[in-house]
Amino acid sequence: MSYAAPLKDMLFVMNELADLAAVNALPGCEEATPETVQAVLEEHARFCSEIIAPLNQTGDREPGGWHDGAVTTAMGFKEAFKAFGAAGWQGIQHPAEIGGQNLPKLVAAACMEMLNSANLSFALCPLLTDAAIEALTIAGSDAQKQAYLANLVSGQWTGTMNLTEPQAGSDLAMIRTRAVPQEDGTYRIFGTKIFITYGDHDMADNIVHMVLARTPGAPEGVKGMSLFVVPKFLVNPDGSPGARNDVQCVALEHKLGIRASPTVVLQFGDYGGAVGTLMGEENRGLEYMFIMMNAARFGVGLQGIGVAERAYQKAVSYAKERVQSRDLQGSAGPVPIIHQPDVRRMLMAMRAQIEAARALAYVTAAAFDVAHHHPDLAVRKQNQAFYEFMVPIVKGWSTEMSVDVVSTGIQVHGGMGFIEETGAAQYYRDARILTIYEGTTAIQANDLVGRKTTRDGGETAKAILAQVRRTESELAASDSPDLAAIHARLSAASRAMEEAVDFITLHIQSDIKAVFAGSVPYLKLCGIVLGGWQMARAALTAEKRLKDSLGDGGGDAAFHQAKMATARFYGDHILPQACALRTAIVEGSSGVLALTEEQF
Amino acid sequence: MSYAAPLKDMLFVMNELADLAAVNALPGCEEATPETVQAVLEEHARFCSEIIAPLNQTGDREPGGWHDGAVTTAMGFKEAFKAFGAAGWQGIQHPAEIGGQNLPKLVAAACMEMLNSANLSFALCPLLTDAAIEALTIAGSDAQKQAYLANLVSGQWTGTMNLTEPQAGSDLAMIRTRAVPQEDGTYRIFGTKIFITYGDHDMADNIVHMVLARTPGAPEGVKGMSLFVVPKFLVNPDGSPGARNDVQCVALEHKLGIRASPTVVLQFGDYGGAVGTLMGEENRGLEYMFIMMNAARFGVGLQGIGVAERAYQKAVSYAKERVQSRDLQGSAGPVPIIHQPDVRRMLMAMRAQIEAARALAYVTAAAFDVAHHHPDLAVRKQNQAFYEFMVPIVKGWSTEMSVDVVSTGIQVHGGMGFIEETGAAQYYRDARILTIYEGTTAIQANDLVGRKTTRDGGETAKAILAQVRRTESELAASDSPDLAAIHARLSAASRAMEEAVDFITLHIQSDIKAVFAGSVPYLKLCGIVLGGWQMARAALTAEKRLKDSLGDGGGDAAFHQAKMATARFYGDHILPQACALRTAIVEGSSGVLALTEEQF
């Protein structure tokens, strides 16, 4: 099997670190019992391994194409997406009243990870559809909900996000697409959108584009943007897809990776204007788009974890099979390369970073659930702040991590890793988009510094650090040498993060460029430290379980020992980077900014 | 122009850091006057930019193919290689008596960097031919020299290295190719060699394969390997290519990158045995192969620097052109993204690491020249030890650096970086082989730990550290705040390296696995620290030049200020990683080795 979901690891994180029981106890989450969750995960794992994963390499090799203005997807994608919808997977995190499964985001997060491990290209379509569903749920009119939600949730139709234009990438203020109001209350849309993922395809009966555009006389910049729903086929009064709308796919990009997911240029309004309806109020488009983007950004973070896990499994499998060289301390013949210390180091580095990023993402998902369902407003607010602080980190750090991990995956394979047929190279190509789309790492870092850290004067950051300190106290109370080592590393790393937070909040007004010169190092620092915090919590749990099982030879001893060793590795090999990043942030701005443009 | 050689940077390193004048003063290097060297570099820069660089992207898109048992190369490659040979570039570092230019390795290193910047795929052919020339020069018989050298140096013929077999990659002990002695003194070769770069092509009249094989009754393992010269076409008594030898290209690999360089499977002896002649003595093949490999490894290090420089130039150019978002402190409209602090940070990280790796490589090349030409045996020995210590670092660290830098190059481009037409993605694909072939980074690290650091009890490593300390003293004597900051960072980093050296030499006997668990972090640590040493030396020179030119507004002030700022960046952003690596090496082995094979 090319992918086997790490269900035991996932359930460990969900139960021990993300507190699934507490989520299950929330009003509205009663269905997410441990038994149901395990059954859902097992079924999704089977679906991903058997139906979706086999299409990954074939889709990369023969990604479909664009002919006569229409995109056809890779062999098997259409049928797989039908099966996906029919099984109810698109609806997993959406409310029952629109046909969803009403499961918490924590459960959806694990399912998303699996789908992305199986096939990054395929998983993008549901990811964007989820974002469209979320935006419609929150900002759509009753008529819009009526027209679109059920079909999106059932996987009959799919959704897209239309932000980027040739001159407007990271800078959405430069968007030029126009929306002209009509007498019947609709708008006509005119403009060009680029890099539209699944902007055209043959997997669904209709495509619902969420389009950012300007109405006549709207304020300049980001305050003058409105969001429109523009379907590929207009919706008939009976709900069925009707006349073709004036939106055309005019080009298909030739990409480094995720080749099976069509990335297209969409032209709106060449034949009189594409018919669209306004979402919510005029000029509040960016606000609604951010709802979609936060969901999508969290999802992209899971893409990073998913592809990294897939690359890790492939590397482990190769390292166990490939026989080469003797064991350093053995006199016998050649052994599998997993005996070589540096192969071990690479596999541990992959594993440790994946486990940390997964834990951080799932804990973030659980905070989302608490923020949306807890009866106590103060608890909701606190969890919402945590969630919002974490989204750019889950997106930015998990994806930066994934680019590193998939590259290590190639390295484990040696020369075979460079041969396309092996498959490791595909992960290296696929993952490379993850630090770019839905906001580059720098955009995530700007969000983390600007909105999430300095706007409240560092309060949320400090509150999270206080939680880290509590974990440090627990570590200090143990007599385990592993936990002592982890304690030392985490304490040093969390101090580094605190110094960075202080520097940033202190200088954001007086020297904004110096602060932003260290924004990406700060994002990475937060990811490393908070990932290390989760690894420490995992180690504490493992220690407890190992003590509990002493004497009865508990079957999970090996599992918990591995958790401990992986956390120890993370402590010794990953956490020390925090101090280097602190230096770059706090003392490193002059070198960043010294040159004139001409000196480059 | 898609590539412009950074001649000013190159000459700065050659003159100020690698001491070209001292090399020029060596017996046998008299021709390498500053004027000649500058003229050679300028001419090579022109050739690379105008003739070779334009074939890079076209070769990637249409890399030629394999039909009817023969490989055809990409459009323009054949003509370009003819021009390359005709201009004498293949002979640049080879002796005049075999038709070479007799220039020092220091000069050849700069030329190699340029050729690799222009076109990694193309440059591989001369790189391997250089290695074959070097092996023949040192270990070939008079007849072999007579038969092959002139044609290789003139670029009429090309050379290959035939080591890898399906079961023998990093572990050459497992080689099975057989060489059966014949009555006429030749051998018949039988076996399969894989991953043979330029193993077949249409760019030259003959291909000279250097083949590692076993004679009957040879000792097992690496002590029983002999090296054979096996030409594609047997050489007639008049020196012309004659009958086709029994070596066939039976497959062409489909690779992630360097697609225009054919990587083939060669089958020897399917029709009675390929005729080969023994190089030097039987069973000393590995020794000769190491001569070629050291040259090739150094060359691959320059490949890393070359492709990183190309990616940097492309990123700078995009960052100056792409207009997006306002300046953080400006009120005017959108500006080129080079105004954004994080884009600055990325460009500085690329630039600083390239400059450090270039300086380290050129200084290493100069040591090679001194080791080969200096009249004093002690000086030769000392420089040979330095050269040998540095080869795995130049190879391993420069290439690891390049993988990181080309990835950053994509990031600077945002979404455009992921579109193949942009060209940034090609560098990302191409560079990925560099940490693998000619010995993976782990193989380089094993060499650095085993042969270069512990065999002499750390003596060479400590001698180099003593040189670093002298630079630190010079830094300490300055009143420049930049130099003071660099001093602090370099001192901390060199202490980290010293602690790593002590750990490694102390534990190599008692706990070999713990030592090798940190071998790659040690290689990176050495690269970072010694690269930082060179950056510090560059900063000291820049400081001196800036002081000298005070008042006269010297035209090079901007250049030297940039050198200072780049060194400062390196100090604050790169050197601090040394301490994290020290922790991984000295205290990090338990996590690496804790898991059983089953726990993965």
mmCIF file of all heavy atoms in Angstrom, chain A residues 155-181:
data_model
loop_
_atom_site.group_PDB
_atom_site.id
_atom_site.type_symbol
_atom_site.label_atom_id
_atom_site.label_comp_id
_atom_site.label_asym_id
_atom_site.label_seq_id
_atom_site.Cartn_x
_atom_site.Cartn_y
_atom_site.Cartn_z
ATOM 1 N N GLY A 155 -21.097 17.492 -2.782
ATOM 2 C CA GLY A 155 -20.056 17.197 -3.765
ATOM 3 C C GLY A 155 -20.571 17.142 -5.188
ATOM 4 O O GLY A 155 -19.858 16.710 -6.091
ATOM 5 N N GLN A 156 -21.817 17.611 -5.412
ATOM 6 C CA GLN A 156 -22.317 17.711 -6.791
ATOM 7 C C GLN A 156 -21.625 18.859 -7.504
ATOM 8 O O GLN A 156 -21.333 18.793 -8.682
ATOM 9 C CB GLN A 156 -23.829 17.984 -6.795
ATOM 10 C CG GLN A 156 -24.681 16.945 -6.110
ATOM 11 C CD GLN A 156 -24.702 15.653 -6.889
ATOM 12 O OE1 GLN A 156 -24.142 14.651 -6.431
ATOM 13 N NE2 GLN A 156 -25.307 15.669 -8.072
ATOM 14 N N TRP A 157 -21.448 19.964 -6.779
ATOM 15 C CA TRP A 157 -20.803 21.145 -7.319
ATOM 16 C C TRP A 157 -19.530 21.401 -6.502
ATOM 17 O O TRP A 157 -19.380 20.867 -5.395
ATOM 18 C CB TRP A 157 -21.735 22.378 -7.207
ATOM 19 C CG TRP A 157 -23.015 22.245 -7.982
ATOM 20 C CD1 TRP A 157 -23.380 21.196 -8.784
ATOM 21 C CD2 TRP A 157 -24.093 23.178 -8.005
ATOM 22 N NE1 TRP A 157 -24.626 21.427 -9.320
ATOM 23 C CE2 TRP A 157 -25.088 22.642 -8.863
ATOM 24 C CE3 TRP A 157 -24.321 24.421 -7.414
ATOM 25 C CZ2 TRP A 157 -26.291 23.308 -9.116
ATOM 26 C CZ3 TRP A 157 -25.506 25.088 -7.664
ATOM 27 C CH2 TRP A 157 -26.493 24.525 -8.529
ATOM 28 N N THR A 158 -18.655 22.241 -7.055
ATOM 29 C CA THR A 158 -17.438 22.598 -6.310
ATOM 30 C C THR A 158 -17.283 24.113 -6.253
ATOM 31 O O THR A 158 -17.944 24.838 -6.992
ATOM 32 C CB THR A 158 -16.190 21.982 -6.965
ATOM 33 O OG1 THR A 158 -15.976 22.578 -8.236
ATOM 34 C CG2 THR A 158 -16.332 20.473 -7.126
ATOM 35 N N GLY A 159 -16.398 24.558 -5.387
ATOM 36 C CA GLY A 159 -16.197 25.994 -5.194
ATOM 37 C C GLY A 159 -14.770 26.422 -5.509
ATOM 38 O O GLY A 159 -13.843 25.612 -5.501
ATOM 39 N N THR A 160 -14.602 27.706 -5.796
ATOM 40 C CA THR A 160 -13.262 28.256 -6.039
ATOM 41 C C THR A 160 -13.130 29.602 -5.339
ATOM 42 O O THR A 160 -14.127 30.220 -4.950
ATOM 43 C CB THR A 160 -12.995 28.536 -7.535
ATOM 44 O OG1 THR A 160 -13.738 29.695 -7.929
ATOM 45 C CG2 THR A 160 -13.371 27.356 -8.402
ATOM 46 N N MET A 161 -11.897 30.042 -5.186
ATOM 47 C CA MET A 161 -11.614 31.399 -4.707
ATOM 48 C C MET A 161 -10.948 32.173 -5.840
ATOM 49 O O MET A 161 -9.934 31.741 -6.365
ATOM 50 C CB MET A 161 -10.660 31.349 -3.522
ATOM 51 C CG MET A 161 -11.306 30.787 -2.265
ATOM 52 S SD MET A 161 -10.079 30.455 -0.975
ATOM 53 C CE MET A 161 -9.648 32.110 -0.471
ATOM 54 N N ASN A 162 -11.523 33.312 -6.187
ATOM 55 C CA ASN A 162 -10.977 34.132 -7.268
ATOM 56 C C ASN A 162 -10.462 35.454 -6.722
ATOM 57 O O ASN A 162 -11.192 36.427 -6.627
ATOM 58 C CB ASN A 162 -12.065 34.419 -8.312
ATOM 59 C CG ASN A 162 -12.276 33.278 -9.282
ATOM 60 O OD1 ASN A 162 -11.994 33.402 -10.453
ATOM 61 N ND2 ASN A 162 -12.767 32.152 -8.790
ATOM 62 N N LEU A 163 -9.186 35.469 -6.346
ATOM 63 C CA LEU A 163 -8.588 36.693 -5.815
ATOM 64 C C LEU A 163 -7.581 37.264 -6.794
ATOM 65 O O LEU A 163 -7.685 38.388 -7.220
ATOM 66 C CB LEU A 163 -7.865 36.409 -4.485
ATOM 67 C CG LEU A 163 -8.669 36.070 -3.249
ATOM 68 C CD1 LEU A 163 -9.199 34.662 -3.285
ATOM 69 C CD2 LEU A 163 -7.833 36.285 -2.014
ATOM 70 N N THR A 164 -6.581 36.444 -7.128
ATOM 71 C CA THR A 164 -5.388 36.936 -7.808
ATOM 72 C C THR A 164 -5.681 37.442 -9.215
ATOM 73 O O THR A 164 -6.455 36.843 -9.957
ATOM 74 C CB THR A 164 -4.350 35.799 -7.862
ATOM 75 O OG1 THR A 164 -4.171 35.314 -6.536
ATOM 76 C CG2 THR A 164 -3.021 36.290 -8.399
ATOM 77 N N GLU A 165 -5.036 38.548 -9.546
ATOM 78 C CA GLU A 165 -5.042 39.071 -10.915
ATOM 79 C C GLU A 165 -3.580 39.288 -11.308
ATOM 80 O O GLU A 165 -2.702 39.288 -10.446
ATOM 81 C CB GLU A 165 -5.840 40.381 -10.968
ATOM 82 C CG GLU A 165 -7.290 40.176 -10.537
ATOM 83 C CD GLU A 165 -8.120 41.461 -10.545
ATOM 84 O OE1 GLU A 165 -7.634 42.495 -11.032
ATOM 85 O OE2 GLU A 165 -9.261 41.405 -10.048
ATOM 86 N N PRO A 166 -3.332 39.470 -12.591
ATOM 87 C CA PRO A 166 -1.922 39.586 -12.998
ATOM 88 C C PRO A 166 -1.150 40.631 -12.187
ATOM 89 O O PRO A 166 -0.007 40.404 -11.822
ATOM 90 C CB PRO A 166 -2.022 39.980 -14.476
ATOM 91 C CG PRO A 166 -3.301 39.348 -14.935
ATOM 92 C CD PRO A 166 -4.234 39.447 -13.761
ATOM 93 N N GLN A 167 -1.776 41.767 -11.894
ATOM 94 C CA GLN A 167 -1.082 42.829 -11.159
ATOM 95 C C GLN A 167 -1.381 42.784 -9.668
ATOM 96 O O GLN A 167 -0.881 43.613 -8.912
ATOM 97 C CB GLN A 167 -1.477 44.205 -11.730
ATOM 98 C CG GLN A 167 -2.837 44.733 -11.287
ATOM 99 C CD GLN A 167 -4.006 43.887 -11.783
ATOM 100 O OE1 GLN A 167 -3.863 43.065 -12.681
ATOM 101 N NE2 GLN A 167 -5.163 44.054 -11.185
ATOM 102 N N ALA A 168 -2.202 41.835 -9.223
ATOM 103 C CA ALA A 168 -2.611 41.791 -7.813
ATOM 104 C C ALA A 168 -2.425 40.378 -7.262
ATOM 105 O O ALA A 168 -3.264 39.508 -7.446
ATOM 106 C CB ALA A 168 -4.063 42.236 -7.668
ATOM 107 N N GLY A 169 -1.278 40.149 -6.637
ATOM 108 C CA GLY A 169 -1.015 38.851 -6.027
ATOM 109 C C GLY A 169 -1.113 38.995 -4.523
ATOM 110 O O GLY A 169 -2.209 38.993 -3.962
ATOM 111 N N SER A 170 0.038 39.184 -3.879
ATOM 112 C CA SER A 170 0.014 39.408 -2.439
ATOM 113 C C SER A 170 -0.722 40.690 -2.091
ATOM 114 O O SER A 170 -1.240 40.846 -0.996
ATOM 115 C CB SER A 170 1.449 39.485 -1.901
ATOM 116 O OG SER A 170 2.076 38.218 -1.981
ATOM 117 N N ASP A 171 -0.764 41.614 -3.038
ATOM 118 C CA ASP A 171 -1.375 42.919 -2.780
ATOM 119 C C ASP A 171 -2.772 42.988 -3.379
ATOM 120 O O ASP A 171 -2.972 43.396 -4.520
ATOM 121 C CB ASP A 171 -0.481 44.005 -3.396
ATOM 122 C CG ASP A 171 -1.012 45.402 -3.086
ATOM 123 O OD1 ASP A 171 -1.979 45.514 -2.311
ATOM 124 O OD2 ASP A 171 -0.441 46.365 -3.622
ATOM 125 N N LEU A 172 -3.762 42.603 -2.575
ATOM 126 C CA LEU A 172 -5.135 42.559 -3.075
ATOM 127 C C LEU A 172 -5.702 43.946 -3.344
ATOM 128 O O LEU A 172 -6.696 44.086 -4.062
ATOM 129 C CB LEU A 172 -6.028 41.805 -2.088
ATOM 130 C CG LEU A 172 -5.699 40.317 -1.935
ATOM 131 C CD1 LEU A 172 -6.546 39.688 -0.846
ATOM 132 C CD2 LEU A 172 -5.925 39.597 -3.264
ATOM 133 N N ALA A 173 -5.069 44.963 -2.788
ATOM 134 C CA ALA A 173 -5.554 46.330 -3.019
ATOM 135 C C ALA A 173 -5.558 46.678 -4.494
ATOM 136 O O ALA A 173 -6.255 47.596 -4.926
ATOM 137 C CB ALA A 173 -4.688 47.326 -2.250
ATOM 138 N N MET A 174 -4.768 45.961 -5.283
ATOM 139 C CA MET A 174 -4.626 46.315 -6.693
ATOM 140 C C MET A 174 -5.622 45.604 -7.604
ATOM 141 O O MET A 174 -5.509 45.665 -8.836
ATOM 142 C CB MET A 174 -3.192 46.042 -7.143
ATOM 143 C CG MET A 174 -2.194 46.944 -6.425
ATOM 144 S SD MET A 174 -0.480 46.530 -6.814
ATOM 145 C CE MET A 174 -0.307 47.339 -8.398
ATOM 146 N N ILE A 175 -6.598 44.953 -7.016
ATOM 147 C CA ILE A 175 -7.583 44.241 -7.828
ATOM 148 C C ILE A 175 -8.398 45.207 -8.701
ATOM 149 O O ILE A 175 -8.804 46.269 -8.240
ATOM 150 C CB ILE A 175 -8.509 43.401 -6.898
ATOM 151 C CG1 ILE A 175 -7.787 42.110 -6.542
ATOM 152 C CG2 ILE A 175 -9.866 43.141 -7.548
ATOM 153 C CD1 ILE A 175 -8.531 41.256 -5.572
ATOM 154 N N ARG A 176 -8.618 44.811 -9.951
ATOM 155 C CA ARG A 176 -9.306 45.675 -10.906
ATOM 156 C C ARG A 176 -10.610 45.101 -11.439
ATOM 157 O O ARG A 176 -11.345 45.795 -12.149
ATOM 158 C CB ARG A 176 -8.395 45.925 -12.126
ATOM 159 C CG ARG A 176 -7.229 46.817 -11.849
ATOM 160 C CD ARG A 176 -6.629 47.325 -13.186
ATOM 161 N NE ARG A 176 -5.244 47.701 -12.997
ATOM 162 C CZ ARG A 176 -4.217 47.234 -13.709
ATOM 163 N NH1 ARG A 176 -4.444 46.363 -14.676
ATOM 164 N NH2 ARG A 176 -2.991 47.627 -13.466
ATOM 165 N N THR A 177 -10.878 43.848 -11.161
ATOM 166 C CA THR A 177 -12.106 43.249 -11.691
ATOM 167 C C THR A 177 -13.317 44.079 -11.259
ATOM 168 O O THR A 177 -13.426 44.480 -10.104
ATOM 169 C CB THR A 177 -12.229 41.789 -11.217
ATOM 170 O OG1 THR A 177 -11.163 41.053 -11.806
ATOM 171 C CG2 THR A 177 -13.558 41.171 -11.609
ATOM 172 N N ARG A 178 -14.207 44.353 -12.232
ATOM 173 C CA ARG A 178 -15.326 45.254 -11.983
ATOM 174 C C ARG A 178 -16.635 44.486 -11.864
ATOM 175 O O ARG A 178 -16.831 43.474 -12.531
ATOM 176 C CB ARG A 178 -15.472 46.241 -13.153
ATOM 177 C CG ARG A 178 -14.299 47.191 -13.322
ATOM 178 C CD ARG A 178 -14.530 48.115 -14.519
ATOM 179 N NE ARG A 178 -14.675 47.368 -15.768
ATOM 180 C CZ ARG A 178 -15.742 47.421 -16.560
ATOM 181 N NH1 ARG A 178 -16.797 48.176 -16.226
ATOM 182 N NH2 ARG A 178 -15.795 46.721 -17.679
ATOM 183 N N ALA A 179 -17.506 45.007 -11.007
ATOM 184 C CA ALA A 179 -18.856 44.443 -10.866
ATOM 185 C C ALA A 179 -19.862 45.575 -11.084
ATOM 186 O O ALA A 179 -19.884 46.535 -10.313
ATOM 187 C CB ALA A 179 -19.035 43.837 -9.491
ATOM 188 N N VAL A 180 -20.666 45.447 -12.113
ATOM 189 C CA VAL A 180 -21.601 46.524 -12.466
ATOM 190 C C VAL A 180 -23.024 46.103 -12.080
ATOM 191 O O VAL A 180 -23.508 45.081 -12.558
ATOM 192 C CB VAL A 180 -21.528 46.822 -13.980
ATOM 193 C CG1 VAL A 180 -22.469 47.973 -14.347
ATOM 194 C CG2 VAL A 180 -20.094 47.129 -14.388
ATOM 195 N N PRO A 181 -23.669 46.904 -11.205
ATOM 196 C CA PRO A 181 -25.015 46.514 -10.742
ATOM 197 C C PRO A 181 -26.045 46.582 -11.869
ATOM 198 O O PRO A 181 -25.971 47.470 -12.730
ATOM 199 C CB PRO A 181 -25.338 47.549 -9.655
ATOM 200 C CG PRO A 181 -24.395 48.685 -9.873
ATOM 201 C CD PRO A 181 -23.209 48.164 -10.604
#
